[in-house]
Amino acid sequence: MKTYKNETIVAKKLSNVKCNCCGKDIATDKFGYTSDYLSVEKRWGYGSTFDNEVHSFDICEDCYKKIIKGFKIPIDID
């Protein structure tokens, strides 16, 4: 005989994304899909000025365009 018990599972669900540069919301449609954006997470290595810190940020397409315009070496587009 099988016996079952009820179990509650907690899951994280993305509710909002804001651009770290301009602060605007990155649009989400009625199905929960967001507009495209850049999401970065970096763990800094031993001996760097950010020794073992983890930095993360999200940037909308408009801010990304502004940032890459300032690059001395253009991005590589495949």
Side-chain angles (χ1 to χ4, degrees), residues 25-66:
D25 287 332
I26 296 171
T28 304
D29 68 14
K30 65 181 180 181
F31 302 107
Y33 295 107
T34 58
S35 300
D36 211 2
Y37 62 96
L38 174 67
S39 187
V40 175
E41 182 173 289
K42 166 66 177 159
R43 177 177 296 278
W44 292 93
Y46 176 74
S48 77
T49 56
F50 301 113
D51 194 4
N52 208 35
E53 290 180 7
V54 178
H55 293 189
S56 60
F57 56 89
D58 301 306
I59 300 176
C60 70
E61 284 188 79
D62 292 336
C63 290
Y64 178 74
K65 289 176 189 175
K66 291 175 190 173

Side-chain angles (χ1 to χ4, degrees), residues 3-22:
T3 304
Y4 294 93
K5 66 178 181 176
N6 290 330
E7 196 173 286
T8 303
I9 298 172
V10 177
K12 284 185 177 182
K13 181 180 178 186
L14 182 64
S15 61
N16 189 32
V17 180
K18 282 193 180 289
C19 176
N20 284 81
C21 288
C22 67

Side-chain angles (χ1 to χ4, degrees), residues 64 68 74-78:
Y64 178 74
I68 65 173
I75 62 168
D76 187 21
I77 300 174
D78 287 337

